[in-house]
Amino acid sequence: MEKINQTIKDNLYKMRAYFQSGATLDYAFRKEQLRKLKEAIVQNEAAIFEALKKDLDKSPEESYATEVGLVLAEISVALRNLEKWMRPEKLKTNLVNFPSSSRLYRDPYGVTLVIGAWNYPFQLLLAPLVGAMAAGNCVVLKPSEVAVATSAVIARIFRENFDPRYISVHEGEGGEVIPGLMDAFRFDYIFYTGGTTVGKIIYQAAAKDLIPVTLELGGKSPAIVEREADLKAAARRIVIGKFLNSGQTCVAPDYVLAQADIKEQLFAQIVETTEKFFGKDASQSYDYGRVINRRHFDSLVSLLPEKEKIRYGGDHDRDQLYFGPTILSEVSPGDPVMRKEIFGPILPVISYDQKEDALKVIKKFEKPLSFYLFTQNKAHVKWWMKHASFGGGCINNTLWHFSNPNMPFGGVGDSGMGAYHGRFSFNTFSHSKAVLSTPTWFDPALKYPPFKGRLRFFKWMIK
Ligand code: NAD
């Protein structure tokens, strides 16, 4: 554990004092800071694009669509709705409390810690930040050290634009920096995005001080393709979902479950679409990214099965950190590629006969972060929604549920707890104080002792 130096520790306590001064509570302050964030991002767009290019070889178009644009959209939604979100929410009042009224007051937690992952290193850190700011918190940001260039550009942007008592950035090895920070200071809320193993470490460390957490984790997200599916659309949406960012997307379809009688047609469509999107040699494609580092690259190589199971691709170049789009067939649940989340451009396709068989495969794994169903059969949609447990997902699509700020995004079980985006981020970073307000003009004696003889009345009134 890194010993946090005195200056850092002092700043954390300055953040607490700043929060306690009430500086972040007013609507005007929150609005102004969100605007400032928007401006800082827009002004630094080129530097952010450059960093994402360096870290993951993302094109400016992809960086905007999957990183910068999503954060700007979160800010726009927050700016448009903040006044409404901050208004106390009126709730119903039961008869026994007549004539009281009931309200929820949204209270910021205080000094929060937001920890990001490397695969979308800008967006996964700053989208939760928007919710934390909207809710009136002070925020310590911990970018992933794995995306080195993006971490540095984020640190600079906040250093240059924000009061460190309000928002501060701590870079460095997560395994050193985070335990150090948590040892030096009791955060009021922790929002973590990353793998399940580290998620458990964070949860345990937070439990010691009863710190509430949101954990945005991963898992093996299935894409099911039924015989009733539009196969062309399914292939397009699975290919983009899987090979975007070289498969390093938490909501990417991890594997495909294809109904046996359409499996071959689906293969053909997926291969054709992959070549249409990224060319015959994806290493030359403007739209195809790179693996983050050699460690992750080696772990992907170790997942490759014997040659006969590689239906397409499998080519890789360690020096270039290039791993081509790869499609596997005849994969069995015991194969290395099915033992953990792949998090790379390898797509196993498993066939099944009946939907009950496909569900059995899904249930072999922990509850997934995402779930994708391709079918035109409405009764089957109903069946799947009833029987499958997952964080969130799409019908006849992949990934896009992540980009709708009107829907909560989060996992369940091993894929996480809690949710965010749009109003749900605001709620996540707020404690809901429930307050009953009672006028004094009506004060029935029945509510006060002596209670003897009122049992029948209470039974009628309270139940
Ligand atoms: P990572 O290595 O970047 O780690 C995430 C964060 O945890 C980093 O900020 C890192 O500094 C910190 N960290 C690392 N080791 C730590 C330790 N021992 N103690 C405390 N903090 C530590 O990211 P990763 O874990 O490789 O990310 C990949 C995983 O994240 C995948 O499983 C993916 O599915 C999941 N993910 C989930 C989401 C989501 O929104 N649910 C988004 C992206 C990634």
Side-chain angles (χ1 to χ4, degrees):
M1 184 202 307
E2 187 176 279
K3 209 89 200 102
I4 292 296
N5 71 38
Q6 197 56 40
T7 321
I8 294 175
K9 204 166 169 175
D10 286 349
N11 190 54
L12 291 168
Y13 281 93
K14 278 183 193 157
M15 292 181 90
R16 169 138 300 142
Y18 188 67
F19 177 75
Q20 284 176 347
S21 75
T24 64
L25 298 182
D26 287 347
Y27 169 66
F29 174 86
R30 301 186 200 186
K31 198 168 88 175
E32 184 200 325
Q33 298 299 321
L34 285 166
R35 282 202 177 131
K36 199 168 166 186
L37 177 62
K38 187 175 184 173
E39 228 175 85
I41 293 171
V42 170
Q43 269 173 13
N44 284 283
E45 192 182 78
I48 299 164
F49 286 172
E50 197 183 311
L52 290 166
K53 179 85 188 157
K54 247 192 211 156
D55 285 332
L56 288 144
D57 198 32
K58 294 189 192 195
S59 66
E61 290 84 350
E62 184 178 335
S63 291
Y64 190 85
T66 65
E67 302 250 20
V68 174
L70 290 182
V71 176
L72 292 177
E74 284 285 332
I75 298 174
S76 303
V77 171
L79 283 172
R80 258 201 318 275
N81 296 290
L82 186 55
E83 210 168 3
K84 190 171 75 203
W85 294 346
M86 286 177 69
R87 240 177 260 148
E89 186 183 337
K90 219 167 172 244
L91 302 175
K92 279 190 185 164
T93 304
N94 54 351
L95 185 62
V96 80
N97 281 304
F98 177 83
S100 305
S101 59
S102 308
R103 282 185 180 74
L104 274 188
Y105 293 82
R106 309 282 182 185
D107 218 10
Y109 279 103
V111 182
T112 60
L113 173 62
V114 175
I115 306 166
W118 53 262
N119 55 330
Y120 290 87
F122 186 77
Q123 180 255 114
L124 290 173
L125 192 71
L126 269 66
L129 167 73
V130 174
M133 291 168 73
N137 296 280
C138 292
V139 191
V140 173
L141 291 171
K142 164 64 185 73
S144 172
E145 68 277 18
V146 180
V148 184
T150 313
S151 173
V153 89
I154 289 172
R156 179 181 62 70
I157 291 173
F158 284 91
R159 215 174 28 244
E160 288 173 2
N161 291 282
F162 287 88
D163 185 334
R165 293 172 306 165
Y166 175 45
I167 301 175
S168 65
V169 180
H170 292 269
E171 293 187 273
E173 280 291 323
E176 296 292 321
V177 173
I178 292 166
L181 287 171
M182 288 179 73
D183 192 50
F185 187 75
R186 184 192 188 284
F187 288 96
D188 298 300
Y189 199 92
I190 298 180
F191 188 107
Y192 167 82
T193 302
T196 303
T197 309
V198 174
K200 286 180 183 170
I201 296 174
I202 303 281
Y203 197 18
Q204 272 172 8
K208 243 186 336 100
D209 288 321
L210 292 179
I211 301 172
V213 294
T214 294
L215 301 173
E216 295 286 340
L217 313 176
K220 282 190 97 59
S221 302
I224 298 132
V225 186
E226 296 195 335
R227 68 167 67 91
E228 292 89 345
D230 174 337
L231 293 187
K232 195 170 173 197
R236 283 163 69 80
R237 294 167 189 186
I238 288 170
V239 166
I240 192 66
K242 182 67 183 190
F243 298 130
L244 181 77
N245 200 24
S246 282
Q248 301 163 114
T249 302
C250 58
V251 286
D254 186 90
Y255 62 102
V256 170
L257 283 161
Q259 204 151 19
D261 42 0
I262 50 96
K263 187 181 166 193
E264 283 309 312
Q265 276 166 276
L266 183 68
F267 262 129
Q269 288 283 355
I270 289 180
V271 169
E272 189 188 319
T273 311
T274 303
E275 293 194 343
K276 209 183 247 169
F277 289 175
F278 306 111
K280 280 203 186 307
D281 177 7
S283 71
Q284 302 303 311
S285 168
Y286 178 78
D287 294 310
Y288 196 78
R290 292 296 179 268
V291 174
I292 185 78
N293 57 26
R294 289 196 170 166
R295 199 168 63 89
H296 189 48
F297 181 92
D298 292 341
S299 93
L300 288 175
V301 173
S302 76
L303 299 182
L304 279 176
E306 52 275 31
K307 267 213 164 78
E308 310 80 71
K309 290 188 176 179
I310 302 178
R311 278 289 290 261
Y312 182 81
D315 49 324
H316 49 274
D317 177 343
R318 195 168 190 262
D319 291 337
Q320 300 297 318
L321 290 173
Y322 166 75
F323 202 114
T326 300
I327 301 158
L328 310 180
S329 64
E330 309 314 327
V331 172
S332 52
D335 286 350
V337 77
M338 294 307 288
R339 284 195 206 132
K340 57 172 190 154
E341 181 185 356
I342 299 167
F343 219 51
I346 306 174
L347 181 66
V349 181
I350 300 173
S351 63
Y352 71 91
D353 290 318
Q354 301 302 324
K355 54 187 185 327
E356 289 77 7
D357 306 323
L359 185 63
K360 268 190 206 147
V361 176
I362 295 166
K363 286 196 167 169
K364 283 200 170 99
F365 306 106
E366 297 294 341
K367 292 179 179 178
L369 180 60
S370 303
F371 172 93
Y372 304 117
L373 174 64
F374 290 89
T375 189
Q376 304 294 335
N377 184 323
K378 291 204 170 116
H380 285 192
V381 171
K382 256 189 169 167
W383 187 88
W384 279 108
M385 291 306 115
K386 183 171 168 188
H387 290 94
S389 182
F390 52 87
C394 303
I395 292 157
N396 294 318
N397 212 342
T398 65
L399 312 186
W400 285 93
H401 63 302
F402 186 91
S403 71
N404 179 356
N406 302 307
M407 300 211 294
F409 175 80
V412 57
D414 264 37
S415 58
M417 62 175 70
Y420 73 125
H421 286 178
R423 166 148 214 164
F424 302 95
S425 294
F426 177 84
N427 289 352
T428 284
F429 282 100
S430 308
H431 164 65
S432 297
K433 288 190 292 202
V435 178
L436 187 84
S437 169
T438 310
T440 51
W441 56 265
F442 181 67
D443 203 17
L446 277 165
K447 286 192 163 179
Y448 301 94
F451 293 127
K452 200 167 178 201
R454 292 190 195 146
L455 186 57
R456 270 187 63 191
F457 174 74
F458 283 171
K459 281 188 173 176
W460 171 78
M461 190 75 178
I462 295 170
K463 70 170 185 289

